[in-house]
Amino acid sequence: MADNAADDLKTLEAQGLAELHGCADEAALRGWNTRFFGDKGLVKAALGKLSTIPKDQRGPYGKEVNRVKEDLTGAYDAALAEAKDKALQASLTANPLDVTLPGRSRPRGRLHPATQILRQIYAIFADLGFQVYRTREVETDELNFECLNMPAHHPARDMWDTFFTTTPGVVLRTHTSPGQIHVMREAAGKPIRVILPGMCYRNEAISTRSEIQFYQVEGLVIGEGVTMADLKGTITAFARRMFGPERQVRIRSSYFPFTEPSIEVDIDWPADDPNRDRLTKGTGWLEILGAGMVHPNVLRAGGYDPDKVTGFAFGMGPQRMLMLKHAIDDIRLFWQNDLRFLRQF
Ligand code: PHE
């Protein structure tokens, strides 16, 4: 083999290896590959030279050019694999991902305890044949008081500390009882058996037992021959379902202008609760509702004839019931939105 041809191949090999080792990454390596092994590449050119070599030297030249070709191919493959591995290692250490970490759970919401107890109340009264009826929170003085047998300046109005609006004669309802009038006027003489849940507002000193905003669930039953026994039976059946047979129900006589006779109903506070005396003012009982036989004047205001029909009504405090059920010692917790409290229900 001619010396200069053999030298050319040695130079090609040395140049190839040197440039290969200078390639910093995969892209550079691919450029190198085109330069040496592409159609117009240096190795191809060296192979093409074979025909210009004198016949007797072609054998050794061909062998040598093939050896150089294989040497460079092998070096390229190794360098490419190494570059890929390096890139992978770099990306792994740049964004460390710990696949053994537990997944991030999505916090689950739930119904507010007041909503939960309201739904329990609806369910119990649904079983007793009551429909749910909703009425407005902003009421007229006429429906909140007058139609309920409390004309202007009636002293019983003092039982409800009222929020007045800047519009004369418009108040935030102090109880759900004005709903009685709405239902009666809509039912127009037909028998009624409904509950009326909703928010009420009172301008009260906020304490552990009183809030300025709270839920009530009103009940109204009107028909021929409805009696006090029906009222007592309904309330007792409700209390048994809500609180269980072991809790005591106490019925006391009371006074409301819109019922005659009137009663109040208490449930005994859990006996083992250390806050019992404070929350029940030493009595052991907490009032959950006021009730009575609908006053004839109220029946008339609703368009019913008190000589033909009678009825009973009640107004209960669902939040008081929750307090009784779970020995919650502060009614203010309900609207403070403290998750430590709300999560317990
Ligand atoms: N509205 C009364 C209150 O808020 C409760 C009540 C309702 C009493 C219906 C009798 C009949 O205190």
Side-chain angles (χ1 to χ4, degrees), residues 160 174-177 180 202 216 218 256 258-259 290-292 313-315:
W160 293 272
T174 56
H175 48 179
T176 42
S177 299
Q180 292 183 27
R202 284 187 202 169
Q216 271 196 350
E218 191 86 4
F256 297 101
F258 33 90
T259 45
F314 55 82

Side-chain angles (χ1 to χ4, degrees), residues 124-313:
I124 295 172
F125 279 109
D127 287 352
L128 295 171
F130 284 71
Q131 282 181 292
V132 175
Y133 191 98
R134 290 176 195 278
T135 61
R136 59 186 70 143
E137 293 176 18
V138 180
E139 269 297 357
T140 57
D141 181 277
E142 189 193 353
L143 267 82
N144 198 81
F145 294 115
E146 271 176 57
C147 292
L148 297 175
N149 207 24
M150 280 179 280
H153 311 299
H154 193 291
R157 286 185 175 216
D158 280 354
M159 290 164 72
W160 293 272
D161 300 303
T162 310
F163 282 115
F164 297 92
T165 70
T166 47
T167 311
V170 176
V171 302
L172 298 187
R173 67 174 173 194
T174 56
H175 48 179
T176 42
S177 299
Q180 292 183 27
I181 305 295
H182 287 290
V183 180
M184 282 192 257
R185 289 183 177 169
E186 197 175 307
K190 291 200 211 65
I192 293 171
R193 199 192 283 174
V194 294
I195 52 170
L196 306 105
M199 197 62 88
C200 302
Y201 303 87
R202 284 187 202 169
N203 190 4
E204 299 216 36
I206 295 176
S207 72
T208 50
R209 293 164 25 131
S210 304
E211 257 281 16
I212 58 171
Q213 127 170 44
F214 56 92
Y215 278 117
Q216 271 196 350
V217 178
E218 191 86 4
L220 180 66
V221 173
I222 295 178
E224 279 177 33
V226 175
T227 69
M228 188 82 180
D230 297 317
L231 170 59
K232 287 172 78 175
T234 304
I235 294 303
T236 318
F238 168 80
R240 291 267 168 275
R241 282 277 305 271
M242 179 55 87
F243 296 102
E246 65 284 352
R247 298 288 285 276
Q248 302 283 311
V249 183
R250 181 171 79 164
I251 298 178
R252 290 177 285 119
S253 63
S254 182
Y255 168 75
F256 297 101
F258 33 90
T259 45
E260 179 62 34
S262 302
I263 58 170
E264 280 179 315
V265 177
D266 305 329
I267 303 286
D268 66 318
W269 192 269
D272 52 356
D273 182 47
N275 295 316
R276 188 173 197 244
D277 274 358
R278 177 166 62 82
L279 282 143
T280 63
K281 292 182 178 157
T283 65
W285 300 96
L286 191 71
E287 182 204 331
I288 58 158
L289 64 89
M293 300 306 291
V294 181
H295 194 284
N297 286 348
V298 177
L299 287 170
R300 275 188 211 104
Y304 282 72
D305 181 351
D307 291 329
K308 291 195 179 132
V309 293
T310 51
F312 68 77

